[in-house]
Amino acid sequence: RVRVAGAGGWVRASLRVLDELDRDVGGLRDLERVKARLAAEILPWERTLGPLAPGTYRVIASVPDGASCEQRVRLDGSPGRSIVVQL
């Protein structure tokens, strides 16, 4: 799960996930996965990404006013990792 924190608390943001070769790996691949994720998204500022293979990724968050930030994350294959990206 990914949450994005702004100065005033949690914010909605667009997220991109890039692997070590700068390939975008956070995209949704089919309609059933989209439906399942939408049903699981309870909080508007929290997103679930993956599953992702073990490795190092860059999570890039951007908000409508143009602000963006990125955070590197190392995944070891453990399920259910949560991160907070700070704007």
Side-chain angles (χ1 to χ4, degrees):
R1 291 193 186 273
V2 178
R3 294 183 194 177
V4 180
W10 302 116
V11 296
R12 284 186 187 209
S14 296
L15 296 176
R16 290 182 62 206
V17 180
L18 304 176
D19 68 7
E20 294 170 298
L21 299 175
D22 285 334
R23 295 178 295 202
D24 191 334
V25 296
L28 299 174
R29 290 180 175 69
D30 61 46
L31 185 56
E32 290 308 311
R33 286 180 66 189
V34 171
K35 288 179 185 178
R37 289 203 183 155
L38 288 175
E41 305 289 332
I42 298 169
L43 304 173
W45 57 82
E46 188 173 273
R47 298 262 314 275
T48 301
L49 300 172
L52 297 172
T56 301
Y57 297 90
R58 287 188 303 144
V59 178
I60 303 167
S62 57
V63 293
D65 70 3
S68 66
C69 60
E70 83 174 54
Q71 180 173 328
R72 290 196 182 275
V73 177
R74 175 94 178 122
L75 300 178
D76 61 7
S78 302
R81 174 83 186 263
S82 294
I83 66 166
V84 174
V85 179
Q86 184 71 45
L87 277 179

